[in-house]
Amino acid sequence: MRTPEFAAMIGPARLYPQLWRLLLGILLILFIYIGFFALMLVVLYPLVGPIEYFGWLLKLQNPTEPGPTLFLLISFIGMFLAPVIAVAACHFRGPGTLFGPRGETLRGFFLALAVLFPVYGALGAANWVMSPPDPNLPLDSWLRYLPAAVLLVLIQVTAEELIFRGYLPQQLAARFAARWVWMGVPAVIFAMLHYNPQAGGNAWLIVGATLAFALIATDLTEQTGSLGAAIGLHFTNNLFALLFVGVKGTITGLSLYITPFDVSDGGPLGFGLAIDLIMLLIIWRLLRFVLVR
């Protein structure tokens, strides 16, 4: 059984639920995102010059510096615009229908932040005691980048939520009653897009943890009938992971600190993922208790 809130959220998607429209929308999203990224590459060329250009592009594969990291985050503006355009062009509905009711979206977002910031802060402090991180960016540089970085992380997580907890679940739920379709399929796609070959034996552990995150975010969306809580959860998680303590071997260009272990180190990362998964389940139940009336 779907919640009444989620049934109302997918109501606009029922007007034009044809699968060919969904497939066309997915292709349009890919076209807009790739096109925006390609445009960024064109603009980048005169900015860095022909001598530095290809070396700079290589840094995008392992963004350990602020410039490449900011570049990657800016590219999510294209991903943010893509579902907004696709939902209008292919399903004749406004971008607000992707989020759910405005009041509930804002309520869910800010309540999630209020709950999660103390929890993530306490978890970060505990991790600091068990495994002190290494310094990365100098504090003055980090503070200089921080305002833009926070805004771009918010854009990044909102873009992903619009697609994987908004557009895809809504359009699939408008056609299929089975939960494994409208909840499971977008979650699996989201998790697989986080597959990192550089993680070695940890790659599938990361995919599994990401899948759990995606299912929890979708459940919060169903319970509240809006993307607010899912965006708040995603924003808090990425804010701490990208800007405070990054895992060495991942996107660490804007991190104040980095872990002493690499993303491919089995023992430390595996233990950390297990703790994170337990905490994620606790956070899920806590958010459900706070958010669901």
Side-chain angles (χ1 to χ4, degrees):
M1 289 292 293
R2 297 169 180 170
T3 65
E5 291 82 1
F6 187 65
M9 186 182 184
I10 66 174
R14 295 183 182 277
L15 299 176
Y16 296 95
Q18 295 84 356
L19 288 181
W20 68 266
R21 292 182 182 275
L22 174 59
L23 294 175
L24 184 62
I26 293 172
L27 291 176
L28 184 57
I29 288 172
L30 290 173
F31 177 80
I32 294 171
Y33 176 60
I34 294 172
F36 187 87
F37 193 84
L39 180 62
M40 288 180 61
L41 293 177
V42 172
V43 173
L44 178 68
Y45 185 80
L47 293 178
V48 301
I51 297 177
E52 300 291 335
Y53 184 71
F54 291 102
W56 209 92
L57 291 183
L58 290 176
K59 295 179 181 179
L60 294 176
Q61 300 178 12
N62 187 24
T64 59
E65 299 177 11
T69 303
L70 287 171
F71 184 92
L72 289 176
L73 289 175
I74 291 171
S75 72
F76 281 89
I77 294 175
M79 183 180 286
F80 178 91
L81 295 173
V84 170
I85 296 172
V87 80
C90 300
H91 306 279
F92 306 107
R93 57 189 179 102
T97 61
L98 289 168
F99 289 89
R102 180 183 301 177
E104 185 58 40
T105 300
L106 293 174
R107 171 183 174 270
F109 177 74
F110 286 111
L111 270 178
L113 294 189
V115 170
L116 294 176
F117 263 74
V119 174
Y120 272 75
L123 182 61
N127 286 334
W128 192 295
V129 171
M130 292 187 295
S131 179
D134 299 326
N136 188 42
L137 274 183
L139 181 60
D140 58 339
S141 298
W142 183 76
L143 290 173
R144 188 167 62 250
Y145 288 117
L146 187 60
V150 170
L151 176 61
L152 289 172
V153 170
L154 179 58
I155 292 173
Q156 177 245 321
V157 301
T158 303
E160 293 184 350
E161 293 304 312
L162 282 175
I163 295 173
F164 294 103
R165 259 66 71 181
Y167 180 63
L168 291 179
Q170 287 174 355
Q171 291 302 142
L172 288 171
R175 283 298 302 263
F176 301 100
R179 184 175 295 271
W180 70 267
V181 176
W182 59 264
M183 177 181 278
V185 171
V188 169
I189 296 173
F190 179 78
M192 290 305 301
L193 288 175
H194 286 75
Y195 178 80
N196 181 7
Q198 296 181 357
N202 292 326
W204 289 107
L205 293 177
I206 295 172
V207 169
T210 307
L211 176 61
F213 178 93
L215 292 172
I216 286 172
T218 308
D219 177 75
L220 293 174
T221 300
E222 180 190 9
Q223 295 300 318
T224 61
S226 79
L227 293 183
I231 294 174
L233 172 62
H234 203 162
F235 179 59
T236 306
N237 181 81
N238 284 22
L239 205 62
F240 278 84
L242 293 176
L243 303 187
F244 288 94
V245 181
V247 177
K248 189 183 298 182
T250 62
I251 303 174
T252 58
L254 293 171
S255 300
L256 182 59
Y257 294 93
I258 56 175
T259 58
F261 53 85
D262 191 85
V263 70
S264 61
D265 292 340
L269 187 69
F271 177 76
L273 286 174
I275 296 299
D276 288 347
L277 184 57
I278 293 172
M279 288 303 304
L280 187 60
L281 293 174
I282 295 173
I283 287 169
W284 172 44
R285 301 308 301 179
L286 182 61
L287 286 176
R288 258 187 167 236
F289 175 78
V290 172
L291 291 166
V292 178
R293 295 187 179 93

